[in-house]
PDB file of all heavy atoms in Angstrom:
ATOM      1  N   THR A  45     179.353 124.230 122.200  1.00  0.00           N
ATOM      2  CA  THR A  45     179.201 123.529 123.511  1.00  0.00           C
ATOM      3  C   THR A  45     177.752 123.687 123.997  1.00  0.00           C
ATOM      4  O   THR A  45     176.956 124.467 123.490  1.00  0.00           O
ATOM      5  CB  THR A  45     180.178 124.155 124.542  1.00  0.00           C
ATOM      6  OG1 THR A  45     180.117 123.391 125.735  1.00  0.00           O
ATOM      7  CG2 THR A  45     179.876 125.577 124.826  1.00  0.00           C
ATOM      8  N   GLN A  46     177.442 122.916 125.013  1.00  0.00           N
ATOM      9  CA  GLN A  46     176.092 122.973 125.620  1.00  0.00           C
ATOM     10  C   GLN A  46     175.928 124.173 126.491  1.00  0.00           C
ATOM     11  O   GLN A  46     176.952 124.741 126.972  1.00  0.00           O
ATOM     12  CB  GLN A  46     175.893 121.700 126.462  1.00  0.00           C
ATOM     13  CG  GLN A  46     175.763 120.430 125.660  1.00  0.00           C
ATOM     14  CD  GLN A  46     175.479 119.239 126.555  1.00  0.00           C
ATOM     15  OE1 GLN A  46     175.520 119.307 127.787  1.00  0.00           O
ATOM     16  NE2 GLN A  46     175.222 118.098 125.949  1.00  0.00           N
ATOM     17  N   PRO A  47     174.702 124.602 126.705  1.00  0.00           N
ATOM     18  CA  PRO A  47     174.503 125.793 127.563  1.00  0.00           C
ATOM     19  C   PRO A  47     174.868 125.475 129.043  1.00  0.00           C
ATOM     20  O   PRO A  47     174.914 124.315 129.422  1.00  0.00           O
ATOM     21  CB  PRO A  47     172.987 126.032 127.443  1.00  0.00           C
ATOM     22  CG  PRO A  47     172.391 124.755 126.999  1.00  0.00           C
ATOM     23  CD  PRO A  47     173.452 124.048 126.208  1.00  0.00           C
ATOM     24  N   PRO A  48     175.104 126.543 129.811  1.00  0.00           N
ATOM     25  CA  PRO A  48     175.419 126.310 131.215  1.00  0.00           C
ATOM     26  C   PRO A  48     174.286 125.624 131.949  1.00  0.00           C
ATOM     27  O   PRO A  48     173.104 125.820 131.632  1.00  0.00           O
ATOM     28  CB  PRO A  48     175.593 127.730 131.808  1.00  0.00           C
ATOM     29  CG  PRO A  48     175.863 128.601 130.565  1.00  0.00           C
ATOM     30  CD  PRO A  48     175.157 127.937 129.405  1.00  0.00           C
ATOM     31  N   ARG A  49     174.623 124.771 132.897  1.00  0.00           N
ATOM     32  CA  ARG A  49     173.622 123.988 133.623  1.00  0.00           C
ATOM     33  C   ARG A  49     174.013 123.932 135.132  1.00  0.00           C
ATOM     34  O   ARG A  49     175.168 124.014 135.415  1.00  0.00           O
ATOM     35  CB  ARG A  49     173.530 122.581 133.095  1.00  0.00           C
ATOM     36  CG  ARG A  49     173.118 122.547 131.650  1.00  0.00           C
ATOM     37  CD  ARG A  49     173.153 121.119 131.132  1.00  0.00           C
ATOM     38  NE  ARG A  49     172.870 121.191 129.700  1.00  0.00           N
ATOM     39  CZ  ARG A  49     172.199 120.290 129.045  1.00  0.00           C
ATOM     40  NH1 ARG A  49     171.742 119.241 129.654  1.00  0.00           N
ATOM     41  NH2 ARG A  49     171.965 120.437 127.772  1.00  0.00           N
ATOM     42  N   PRO A  50     173.016 123.700 135.952  1.00  0.00           N
ATOM     43  CA  PRO A  50     173.380 123.528 137.365  1.00  0.00           C
ATOM     44  C   PRO A  50     174.068 122.172 137.569  1.00  0.00           C
ATOM     45  O   PRO A  50     173.586 121.150 137.011  1.00  0.00           O
ATOM     46  CB  PRO A  50     172.027 123.584 138.097  1.00  0.00           C
ATOM     47  CG  PRO A  50     171.008 123.401 137.076  1.00  0.00           C
ATOM     48  CD  PRO A  50     171.599 123.750 135.766  1.00  0.00           C
ATOM     49  N   PRO A  51     175.191 122.114 138.312  1.00  0.00           N
ATOM     50  CA  PRO A  51     175.892 120.819 138.486  1.00  0.00           C
ATOM     51  C   PRO A  51     175.183 119.858 139.424  1.00  0.00           C
ATOM     52  O   PRO A  51     175.508 118.668 139.412  1.00  0.00           O
ATOM     53  CB  PRO A  51     177.231 121.269 139.027  1.00  0.00           C
ATOM     54  CG  PRO A  51     176.991 122.547 139.703  1.00  0.00           C
ATOM     55  CD  PRO A  51     175.851 123.209 138.957  1.00  0.00           C
ATOM     56  N   GLY A  52     174.311 120.315 140.268  1.00  0.00           N
ATOM     57  CA  GLY A  52     173.656 119.399 141.186  1.00  0.00           C
ATOM     58  C   GLY A  52     172.400 120.078 141.780  1.00  0.00           C
ATOM     59  O   GLY A  52     172.033 121.165 141.346  1.00  0.00           O
ATOM     60  N   ARG A  53     171.815 119.428 142.751  1.00  0.00           N
ATOM     61  CA  ARG A  53     170.606 120.011 143.341  1.00  0.00           C
ATOM     62  C   ARG A  53     170.876 121.318 144.022  1.00  0.00           C
ATOM     63  O   ARG A  53     171.736 121.392 144.903  1.00  0.00           O
ATOM     64  CB  ARG A  53     170.024 118.992 144.344  1.00  0.00           C
ATOM     65  CG  ARG A  53     169.515 117.790 143.659  1.00  0.00           C
ATOM     66  CD  ARG A  53     168.791 116.829 144.550  1.00  0.00           C
ATOM     67  NE  ARG A  53     168.915 117.044 145.941  1.00  0.00           N
ATOM     68  CZ  ARG A  53     168.574 116.143 146.870  1.00  0.00           C
ATOM     69  NH1 ARG A  53     168.203 114.928 146.479  1.00  0.00           N
ATOM     70  NH2 ARG A  53     168.680 116.374 148.146  1.00  0.00           N
ATOM     71  N   GLY A  54     170.119 122.352 143.654  1.00  0.00           N
ATOM     72  CA  GLY A  54     170.168 123.610 144.364  1.00  0.00           C
ATOM     73  C   GLY A  54     171.424 124.438 144.126  1.00  0.00           C
ATOM     74  O   GLY A  54     171.617 125.448 144.795  1.00  0.00           O
ATOM     75  N   GLN A  55     172.278 124.019 143.238  1.00  0.00           N
ATOM     76  CA  GLN A  55     173.528 124.771 143.008  1.00  0.00           C
ATOM     77  C   GLN A  55     173.342 125.760 141.874  1.00  0.00           C
ATOM     78  O   GLN A  55     172.427 125.671 141.086  1.00  0.00           O
ATOM     79  CB  GLN A  55     174.677 123.822 142.709  1.00  0.00           C
ATOM     80  CG  GLN A  55     174.981 122.926 143.924  1.00  0.00           C
ATOM     81  CD  GLN A  55     176.200 122.056 143.683  1.00  0.00           C
ATOM     82  OE1 GLN A  55     176.830 122.146 142.629  1.00  0.00           O
ATOM     83  NE2 GLN A  55     176.537 121.232 144.604  1.00  0.00           N
ATOM     84  N   HIS A  56     174.248 126.723 141.804  1.00  0.00           N
ATOM     85  CA  HIS A  56     174.191 127.745 140.775  1.00  0.00           C
ATOM     86  C   HIS A  56     174.559 127.184 139.404  1.00  0.00           C
ATOM     87  O   HIS A  56     175.358 126.246 139.277  1.00  0.00           O
ATOM     88  CB  HIS A  56     175.105 128.932 141.129  1.00  0.00           C
ATOM     89  CG  HIS A  56     174.716 129.560 142.442  1.00  0.00           C
ATOM     90  ND1 HIS A  56     173.616 130.321 142.526  1.00  0.00           N
ATOM     91  CD2 HIS A  56     175.293 129.527 143.676  1.00  0.00           C
ATOM     92  CE1 HIS A  56     173.514 130.767 143.795  1.00  0.00           C
ATOM     93  NE2 HIS A  56     174.546 130.261 144.488  1.00  0.00           N
ATOM     94  N   VAL A  57     174.042 127.839 138.390  1.00  0.00           N
ATOM     95  CA  VAL A  57     174.370 127.447 137.002  1.00  0.00           C
ATOM     96  C   VAL A  57     175.866 127.729 136.747  1.00  0.00           C
ATOM     97  O   VAL A  57     176.373 128.800 137.120  1.00  0.00           O
ATOM     98  CB  VAL A  57     173.497 128.264 136.017  1.00  0.00           C
ATOM     99  CG1 VAL A  57     173.896 127.959 134.571  1.00  0.00           C
ATOM    100  CG2 VAL A  57     172.016 127.947 136.212  1.00  0.00           C
TER     101      VAL A  57
END
Side-chain angles (χ1 to χ4, degrees):
T45 187
Q46 292 182 351
R49 299 175 186 216
R53 292 186 348 196
Q55 295 185 3
H56 299 287
V57 174

